[in-house]
Amino acid sequence: MPATQKPMRYGHTEGHTEVCFDDSGSYIVTCGSDGDVRMWEDLDDDDPKSVNVGEKAFSCALKNGKLVTAVSNNTVQVYTFPEGVPDGILTRFTTNANHVVFNGDGTKIAAGSSDFLVKVVDVMDNSQQQTFRGHDAPVLSLSFDPKDIFLASASCDGTVRVWNISDQTCAVSWPVLQKSNDVVNAESICRLAWRPRSGELLAVPVGKSVKLYRRKTWSNPFDLSDSSISQTLNIVTWSPCGQYLAAGAINGLIVVWNVETKDCMERVKHEKGYAICGLAWHPTCSRICYTDVEGNLGILENVCDLSEKVSSNKVLSRVEKDYNDLFDGDDPSSAGDFLNDNAVEIPSFSKGIINEDDDDNDDLMLAADRDLGDDENSVDVPMLKADLHKEEGDDDQASSIHNLPLIKPQRPFYDGPMPTPRQKPFQSSSTPLHLSHRFMVWNSVGIIRCYNDDQDSAIDVEFHDTSIHHATHLSNAFNYTMGTLSHEAILLACESADELASKLHCLHFSSWDSSKEWMVDMPQNEDIEAICLGLGWAAAATTASLLRLFTIGGVQKEVFCLPGPVVSMAGHGEQLCIVYHRGTGFDGDQCLGVQLLELGRKKTQVLHGDPLPLTRKSYLTWLGFSAEGTPCYVDSEGCVRMLNRGLGNTWTPVCNLREHCKGKSDHYWVVGVHENPQQLRCIPCKGSRFPPTLPRPAVAILSFKLPYCQTSTEKGQMEEQFWHSVLFHNYLDYLAKNGYDYEENIKNQAVKEQQELLMKMLALSCKLEREFRCVELADLMTQNALHLAIKYASRSRKLILAQKLSELAAEKAAELAETQSEEEKEEDFREKLNAGYSHTTTEWSQPQVRSHVEEDAEDREDTVSEEKPEPHNHGQNLFQNANSSDMPALKSGAVFSNSQGRVNPFKVVVNSKEPATSVNSTRSANILDSMSKSSRKSTSFNRVANNEKSPVIKPLMPKPRAKQASAASYFQKRTSQADKTEEVKENPKSSSSETPAVCLQNSENQRPKTGFQMWLEENRSHILSDNPDISDEADIIKEGMIRFRVLSAEERRAWTNKAKGETASDGAEVKKRKRVASETCETENQGESAKENLDLSKKPKALNLSTNQKLSAFAFKQE
């Protein structure tokens, strides 16, 4: 059986760490740079006994109940074991002692120091000391001869020396190491070792091989090496039997040889490739403990199983097994052919020869029956077996063993990517299951603690906000291992045991009835692996790769298959996020996929099993949602990622927890993410990955930072701030899209912040003469910010840039006009009606008043007819077409709203002496009073009907007819931003041919000023100064319209209110002004009849009236 590598665990803070066993192998003892000596019962011991021996502990040794340590105060101290009680100081140096070792019977210790000295001290009487001088640099390591005759030492001076203990002389010296001036600069710490019992061989790690020197002769009979060793070896240790030698390299590789056969038995790579600095073989078992320079502790099990002799084919068998595991169900012979392409399975037969028992003979026959393939390097198994037995015939068994190396066996070594063990399922914000006191969950709602000891097994639930629910104490009779918590319920789950099925238990404390608990048993052989809660639902993922949905009251809902084994789940509102194994990862990487589902009325799948990005050689440690509903997760390397809904549901890194950790062994345990305010809530864990339950840990708040380049510069800093703001306000769009309420001022503030950053970046780019970059930044701006950018460019005398920005503004305005849909307009209309304006008498509210509606329609007809110089047939065709075939055209033609406080300046005052006129005028005035915008739909409809060139609405240009002039004025004042954009776009095409040329002064005399006119008067000088080449009044109006349009809604409203205020102050003159305007325009209109000129106070009507309209008007006048 090949060696089994257990996952490493935290032992000490980063730095040199050593490990050893006690005499019985019951304890693993480690020391590290944190100054602690820890005594572990096993690798899973989460509460080891710890003894602080100093600021730093460089080395430790244990024998006969005595623990000796070399610490940073230049002393070698002794403690009782396992009590850890100080028992005195054995010796002192002038600087740090780097290594201490016991002799075979535990009566003496040897210590080597950085002051070049080696001392041997009697443990019971420290006055009995021997000092060995001769090294010219700090001493790296020491080793006692098992017979207490020699002492070997390695030094930074590049030599390995063997000392005769009795006379303190140097027996031999080998200059085999690389020289250095200190231990920290040494290429290797060169932990050498004598062979146990006999002391025949001294093993010294030199470069990429182990040199073995024979006792007394001090010759070097052979070296041990392997092709897998690519870095310098750091340490060696012998098995208790002396048959095997293990070595650890600075790249994390651990290699084990059979010294007799010189065969490599095991090759194990460190999880993260850290240098091996401690290596200890268990005194009785086939187990090796090792430590690395990061303070981690690991164990190899079943190393060259000492209970039976193992053939040198161990490595080959292990590689074949690992490789075959990758291709479950494939033909094993094909995998063997792949690995043994140029190989001969000689070791299998040597195993049969060496061990002549029945089991081995069976193995031999199995090997003989195996198909080796038909390649040219294959060997016929029966012939090979016959040859081997023929050799065996004349010699004894021992001689045949020595003859085997003559047949050079080729041992293939698969050096390709190795599969990564799959990560086990876990609950986010929970601590490991083996702890007696642990957190089942810690989230933004509360905490669930589990206590499982000999006296009691219970669960405590605590809520952060006690108004949700009071703290609860529950018994844990079913041994629940999973738990989660929401504002509605507590959800617990347990695995199956003996005859009990796996259970899902829900405590629905928000229920309004008296039955607040329900429980569901899973089917046989199906265990729950992950659970989560959402708004009104619960979910459980099982070992059968099924996800089971339940209502919060216990009704079973949908059941569907998962694409792979689940890793973790999270829920928020209607969203369910599932992470699962989508394949096998290699070289330490996990291969995970993620599904994101929305379980509302419209059940949709947002992420369809997309790969989940993880840092190299990391695994998932936390999965959840932000408080605002954005999926997030954290990997073991501390990278926090968030779903970027604004970029096609991609994952963006928003924080690196490692940057906030003070030490390499420190971590942050995430409990919550908030986007507003932007907070990452974590619990700092010193020297571990998770916090203890007692004392209650404190929550720290970390900030987010996107990994943008050159954030030390002003440009990089502003870029990071801008995209940071964009990313962390994407949730507002998601909430709006899904019908959730949110504060509008948050979005306004975010937009303001983003536009300010864009303006700063544009100003910086202007200073750096990066005008193309300025245009790129302007493309991200709103219309208002773009207007400011144009001003800035003009005042900075960047004329080309100002021109480019103006073109960009026109393009953005055109795009805005094109993308505005009719559905949005109808929604606006309904919202305004619902806001309390449906009381206005309109065509939709009173369709039964036929005559009044038709008169109102005539008013609207005249308003729209302003778009064409020939108003008579145009208005009639529009009304008839819209009335007969497209009623929504009229419906969207005017929106009834007084939300901006505007009053129709052309409202006719009711005169009691003229009853007929007063009724009709009042009805018409109500329509104008409630009109806020005109639809483009009716205009486009009329264009299609008449097959003519697109008309242009020219603001501030009066029409010949009085009623057209008043309607057009109001239409222009209340037109929407999209309509204005269309007007600007179409103006140059048809203004010269279709618009009557009437001077601005005449227009102002005929009607009151609009907000745009007042703004234009005050800003005319700025327009002329910024555009000195403009002389035509139409171009001035066009430029003014562009600038007026990019003003904010509040600014435009202010100008409109200002104009309205001036109109209201002269309210008594309104009727008079209208009549004067009518008299002026009547003389210019040759299409008006003489009947309309006789009575200006009466409301003019269209020429083409239906017979019913004429009769109803006549009957009304007669009354």
Side-chain angles (χ1 to χ4, degrees):
M1 176 185 290
T4 304
Q5 184 179 17
K6 287 189 174 183
M8 298 193 73
R9 64 158 303 150
Y10 168 79
H12 298 268
T13 57
E14 66 275 7
H16 178 80
T17 311
E18 288 208 358
V19 61
C20 63
F21 284 97
D22 70 334
D23 297 333
S24 64
S26 303
Y27 287 94
I28 304 168
V29 180
T30 60
C31 70
S33 57
D34 52 8
D36 290 338
V37 174
R38 295 196 170 100
M39 306 165 195
W40 314 75
E41 294 182 1
D42 199 358
L43 191 64
D44 297 331
D45 184 5
D46 287 296
D47 189 20
K49 183 173 182 179
S50 182
V51 179
N52 185 267
V53 296
E55 185 177 347
K56 284 188 177 181
F58 297 106
S59 180
C60 68
L62 180 60
K63 201 86 170 177
N64 298 340
K66 297 290 184 180
L67 175 64
V68 176
T69 61
V71 293
S72 55
N73 60 357
N74 307 340
T75 63
V76 176
Q77 301 174 0
V78 61
Y79 293 81
T80 61
F81 181 85
E83 295 81 9
V85 178
D87 199 18
I89 296 176
L90 289 180
T91 187
R92 296 179 185 272
F93 293 92
T94 58
T95 184
N96 298 331
N98 299 319
H99 195 207
V100 292
V101 290
F102 271 101
N103 66 349
D105 56 9
T107 58
K108 295 178 182 179
I109 65 104
S113 169
S114 292
D115 60 6
F116 313 169
L117 299 181
V118 176
K119 291 184 179 182
V120 175
V121 186
D122 191 290
V123 176
M124 302 308 294
D125 183 7
N126 62 354
S127 62
Q128 302 294 324
Q129 294 192 12
Q130 295 174 292
T131 303
F132 299 80
R133 307 177 192 273
H135 282 299
D136 299 324
V139 179
L140 290 170
S141 66
L142 302 166
S143 180
F144 266 110
D145 168 24
K147 298 182 179 180
D148 277 355
I149 298 175
F150 299 106
L151 174 69
S153 65
S155 171
C156 291
D157 60 8
T159 64
V160 174
R161 295 173 182 258
V162 178
W163 307 85
N164 194 318
I165 298 176
S166 59
D167 56 8
Q168 304 177 32
T169 58
C170 180
V172 67
S173 176
W174 299 291
V176 292
L177 303 178
Q178 186 173 344
K179 293 183 179 182
S180 61
N181 59 0
D182 199 359
V183 178
V184 294
N185 298 322
E187 181 184 24
S188 163
I189 59 174
C190 192
R191 291 285 196 262
L192 38 74
W194 291 89
R195 189 171 192 172
R197 300 177 185 172
S198 65
E200 257 183 53
L201 297 172
L202 172 64
V204 183
V206 178
K208 300 177 183 178
S209 64
V210 179
K211 291 186 176 295
L212 288 103
Y213 296 94
R214 195 171 297 280
R215 186 187 183 86
K216 292 186 179 180
T217 64
W218 310 123
S219 62
N220 177 212
F222 59 91
D223 294 347
L224 294 176
S225 61
D226 190 74
S227 59
S228 63
I229 303 175
S230 59
Q231 297 289 331
T232 304
L233 296 176
N234 218 20
I235 182 173
V236 296
T237 185
W238 291 85
S239 65
C241 64
Q243 184 178 359
Y244 303 101
L245 181 69
I250 61 175
N251 65 343
L253 180 68
I254 298 176
V255 185
V256 182
W257 292 275
N258 185 323
V259 179
E260 294 296 331
T261 63
K262 306 179 186 62
D263 290 331
C264 180
M265 309 299 293
E266 303 284 357
R267 301 179 186 92
V268 179
K269 192 72 185 293
H270 187 285
E271 295 174 1
K272 297 184 181 295
Y274 296 146
I276 304 297
C277 59
L279 208 59
W281 208 304
H282 193 279
T284 57
C285 301
S286 54
R287 175 188 297 180
I288 291 179
C289 272
Y290 61 98
T291 54
D292 59 32
V293 293
E294 294 296 320
N296 299 311
L297 173 65
I299 287 183
L300 296 180
E301 299 277 5
N302 304 318
V303 182
C304 302
D305 197 350
L306 301 182
S307 59
E308 61 181 67
K309 295 183 179 179
V310 183
S311 76
S312 59
N313 196 36
K314 182 74 69 176
V315 175
L316 179 63
S317 301
R318 178 188 173 197
V319 173
E320 288 179 1
K321 178 182 181 302
D322 289 345
Y323 193 83
N324 288 335
D325 287 344
L326 300 182
F327 302 95
D328 260 351
D330 291 354
D331 182 11
S333 63
S334 62
D337 290 342
F338 175 80
L339 284 175
N340 301 324
D341 194 20
N342 296 310
V344 180
E345 293 193 19
I346 300 295
S348 296
F349 306 108
S350 65
K351 175 180 176 181
I353 298 166
I354 296 170
N355 304 313
E356 296 182 345
D357 55 0
D358 295 339
D359 295 339
D360 291 338
N361 287 334
D362 291 342
D363 293 341
L364 180 62
M365 295 306 296
L366 288 173
D369 293 338
R370 184 172 180 179
D371 181 16
L372 292 175
D374 296 328
D375 61 334
E376 61 184 8
N377 294 321
S378 300
V379 176
D380 187 17
V381 175
M383 289 178 61
L384 184 58
K385 181 177 178 183
D387 291 341
L388 290 175
H389 282 288
K390 185 177 180 181
E391 285 184 19
E392 187 183 357
D394 298 331
D395 300 322
D396 58 3
Q397 198 173 45
S399 64
S400 69
I401 295 176
H402 292 293
N403 289 336
L404 277 178
L406 297 176
I407 307 173
K408 275 293 187 183
Q410 298 183 13
R411 300 182 305 277
F413 178 68
Y414 176 68
D415 198 23
M418 296 302 294
T420 305
R422 285 182 173 178
Q423 180 180 356
K424 294 181 180 179
F426 71 95
Q427 288 293 119
S428 293
S429 298
S430 66
T431 51
L433 291 174
H434 56 75
L435 299 177
S436 57
H437 293 185
R438 58 181 290 259
F439 291 110
M440 298 182 78
V441 71
W442 183 322
N443 58 21
S444 58
V445 179
I447 306 168
I448 302 180
R449 295 182 183 85
C450 179
Y451 303 95
N452 191 7
D453 49 32
D454 298 336
Q455 290 78 21
D456 188 19
S457 181
I459 294 173
D460 285 344
V461 183
E462 173 188 336
F463 293 86
H464 299 315
D465 184 359
T466 54
S467 64
I468 297 176
H469 197 267
H470 58 78
T472 305
H473 180 83
L474 306 170
S475 63
N476 192 12
F478 292 104
N479 191 25
Y480 293 118
T481 57
M482 290 162 274
T484 188
L485 189 63
S486 73
H487 290 91
E488 295 180 311
I490 302 167
L491 191 64
L492 303 170
C494 66
E495 299 176 349
S496 60
D498 298 332
E499 298 179 358
L500 295 177
S502 179
K503 299 178 183 298
L504 185 69
H505 184 190
C506 180
L507 288 82
H508 185 201
F509 55 78
S510 65
S511 174
W512 47 265
D513 64 1
S514 58
S515 301
K516 298 182 181 296
E517 294 187 36
W518 55 270
M519 186 179 295
V520 174
D521 288 352
M522 295 295 111
Q524 189 176 4
N525 299 325
E526 184 175 341
D527 283 356
I528 298 174
E529 292 188 306
I531 57 174
C532 68
L533 281 170
L535 185 62
W537 57 266
T542 68
T543 53
S545 293
L546 294 177
L547 192 134
R548 300 179 178 273
L549 289 174
F550 302 84
T551 65
I552 201 66
V555 178
Q556 296 189 61
K557 297 182 68 179
E558 293 86 355
V559 178
F560 61 91
C561 292
L562 295 175
V566 69
V567 177
S568 189
M569 293 197 308
H572 182 279
E574 297 177 348
Q575 300 180 85
L576 170 62
C577 187
I578 311 163
V579 174
Y580 60 90
H581 290 285
R582 60 192 300 267
T584 301
F586 288 86
D587 285 343
D589 295 332
Q590 296 289 330
C591 184
L592 304 182
V594 57
Q595 284 184 330
L596 180 61
L597 299 94
E598 293 185 353
L599 305 177
R601 292 186 177 180
K602 294 182 179 180
K603 294 179 173 61
T604 57
Q605 189 170 353
V606 180
L607 297 178
H608 302 260
D610 300 346
L612 188 73
L614 292 173
T615 309
R616 290 277 291 122
K617 298 190 177 182
S618 68
Y619 53 90
L620 186 68
T621 58
W622 186 86
L623 174 69
F625 288 85
S626 69
E628 289 74 20
T630 304
C632 310
Y633 68 94
V634 185
D635 62 29
S636 58
E637 291 300 316
C639 183
V640 183
R641 294 177 176 88
M642 177 179 289
L643 188 69
N644 190 347
R645 300 185 192 270
L647 193 62
N649 292 324
T650 54
W651 296 96
T652 301
V654 295
C655 183
N656 187 355
L657 298 177
R658 298 300 307 166
E659 295 179 356
H660 298 272
C661 295
K662 294 181 180 179
K664 291 185 179 180
S665 300
D666 298 341
H667 297 86
Y668 279 96
W669 196 64
V670 178
V671 296
V673 178
H674 293 256
E675 294 178 83
N676 185 29
Q678 296 175 18
Q679 294 178 350
L680 179 61
R681 301 187 178 181
C682 312
I683 295 175
C685 305
K686 185 170 181 59
S688 66
R689 288 190 174 271
F690 50 85
T693 54
L694 292 174
R696 182 189 177 95
V699 177
I701 295 177
L702 304 181
S703 58
F704 295 100
K705 183 179 180 182
L706 274 61
Y708 276 80
C709 303
Q710 297 180 328
T711 52
S712 58
T713 64
E714 188 179 5
K715 171 180 174 289
Q717 188 175 1
M718 287 190 291
E719 288 170 341
E720 192 275 337
Q721 290 174 355
F722 173 76
W723 292 110
H724 185 120
S725 177
V726 171
L727 175 64
F728 279 88
H729 289 92
N730 280 339
Y731 78 93
L732 296 173
D733 296 330
Y734 173 78
L735 295 178
K737 179 181 177 182
N738 288 272
Y740 294 102
D741 294 332
Y742 65 92
E743 296 182 18
E744 188 70 29
N745 61 334
I746 296 177
K747 186 170 185 179
N748 295 338
Q749 184 65 28
V751 172
K752 181 180 178 182
E753 175 188 354
Q754 293 162 17
Q755 299 308 311
E756 288 177 356
L757 287 167
L758 287 173
M759 283 301 302
K760 289 179 182 178
M761 286 190 281
L762 184 137
L764 181 63
S765 299
C766 272
K767 291 179 182 177
L768 299 175
E769 301 293 334
R770 298 278 186 178
E771 296 189 8
F772 188 87
R773 183 183 295 169
C774 292
V775 178
E776 291 176 327
L777 291 169
D779 193 36
L780 301 171
M781 294 181 179
T782 61
Q783 292 283 359
N784 196 16
L786 188 53
H787 175 60
L788 295 176
I790 296 172
K791 277 188 177 181
Y792 181 86
S794 300
R795 293 177 181 176
S796 301
R797 304 198 178 280
K798 308 282 186 183
L799 300 181
I800 298 178
L801 175 61
Q803 181 182 356
K804 293 289 184 183
L805 294 179
S806 299
E807 294 173 358
L808 179 62
E811 291 176 6
K812 290 174 75 72
E815 292 174 3
L816 183 65
E818 292 173 1
T819 55
Q820 190 173 19
S821 64
E822 294 298 330
E823 289 77 11
E824 292 176 354
K825 292 183 178 180
E826 291 181 3
E827 277 187 15
D828 293 341
F829 173 75
R830 294 191 189 97
E831 289 175 3
K832 292 179 180 179
L833 283 181
N834 295 335
Y837 301 104
S838 58
H839 63 274
T840 307
T841 304
T842 64
E843 179 180 357
W844 300 274
S845 62
Q846 292 188 2
Q848 67 275 14
V849 187
R850 177 67 182 170
S851 61
H852 296 172
V853 172
E854 288 177 351
E855 291 177 4
D856 296 343
E858 292 169 13
D859 293 337
R860 285 192 298 276
E861 164 200 338
D862 292 333
T863 300
V864 179
S865 69
E866 181 190 271
E867 299 181 9
K868 194 169 181 179
E870 300 83 18
H872 307 295
N873 294 333
H874 175 90
Q876 183 182 3
N877 292 341
L878 174 63
F879 180 77
Q880 290 174 352
N881 291 337
N883 194 35
S884 60
S885 62
D886 193 5
M887 183 59 71
L890 277 179
K891 183 175 181 180
S892 59
V895 177
F896 300 89
S897 172
N898 289 324
S899 60
Q900 297 181 353
R902 297 178 180 175
V903 179
N904 178 19
F906 308 105
K907 183 175 180 180
V908 179
V909 179
V910 178
N911 190 344
S912 59
K913 296 180 180 180
E914 300 169 346
T917 304
S918 65
V919 173
N920 294 334
S921 298
T922 302
R923 183 71 59 188
S924 177
N926 287 339
I927 291 294
L928 287 173
D929 283 344
S930 57
M931 184 180 293
S932 65
K933 65 179 181 179
S934 178
S935 170
R936 290 186 298 142
K937 186 173 180 180
S938 59
T939 305
S940 59
F941 183 89
N942 182 66
R943 291 173 190 166
V944 175
N946 290 280
N947 295 324
E948 291 184 4
K949 195 174 181 180
S950 300
V952 178
I953 303 174
K954 289 286 287 185
L956 305 176
M957 295 294 180
K959 294 296 177 180
R961 294 177 56 188
K963 190 161 76 172
Q964 284 179 334
S966 61
S969 172
Y970 193 80
F971 177 82
Q972 270 305 322
K973 185 172 66 173
R974 306 296 288 272
T975 189
S976 66
Q977 191 173 14
D979 295 329
K980 291 181 181 179
T981 304
E982 184 179 281
E983 293 162 12
V984 173
K985 192 174 179 182
E986 296 173 349
N987 241 342
K989 298 181 181 178
S990 56
S991 59
S992 59
S993 60
E994 295 184 6
T995 305
V998 182
C999 66
L1000 184 63
Q1001 290 81 1
N1002 292 339
S1003 173
E1004 291 175 349
N1005 292 334
Q1006 293 175 14
R1007 57 181 177 166
K1009 295 179 181 178
T1010 63
F1012 172 76
Q1013 286 176 295
M1014 298 190 67
W1015 178 88
L1016 184 62
E1017 289 178 0
E1018 292 194 13
N1019 291 274
R1020 179 184 293 271
S1021 59
H1022 295 297
I1023 295 175
L1024 293 175
S1025 62
D1026 293 341
N1027 301 276
D1029 55 335
I1030 293 180
S1031 58
D1032 188 12
E1033 183 67 26
D1035 292 335
I1036 295 175
I1037 294 173
K1038 176 183 175 182
E1039 179 65 18
M1041 286 183 63
I1042 294 176
R1043 298 193 180 193
F1044 187 78
R1045 184 184 65 251
V1046 298
L1047 295 178
S1048 65
E1050 290 79 9
E1051 291 175 332
R1052 292 199 299 270
R1053 190 181 299 116
W1055 283 105
T1056 304
N1057 292 338
K1058 187 175 180 181
K1060 182 187 69 174
E1062 291 186 4
T1063 302
S1065 65
D1066 197 17
E1069 300 293 326
V1070 171
K1071 183 177 179 180
K1072 181 179 178 181
R1073 288 180 185 176
K1074 180 175 181 181
R1075 291 176 179 175
V1076 171
S1078 300
E1079 291 174 356
T1080 304
C1081 294
E1082 287 292 341
T1083 58
E1084 299 175 7
N1085 188 0
Q1086 299 178 1
E1088 287 290 337
S1089 64
K1091 188 179 294 184
E1092 286 180 331
N1093 291 329
L1094 295 177
D1095 188 6
L1096 294 177
S1097 63
K1098 293 183 179 180
K1099 181 177 178 181
K1101 295 182 173 55
L1103 296 178
N1104 298 326
L1105 296 177
S1106 64
T1107 305
N1108 290 338
Q1109 289 174 326
K1110 293 179 180 179
L1111 289 175
S1112 61
F1114 174 77
F1116 190 80
K1117 290 179 182 179
Q1118 293 302 318
E1119 295 177 0

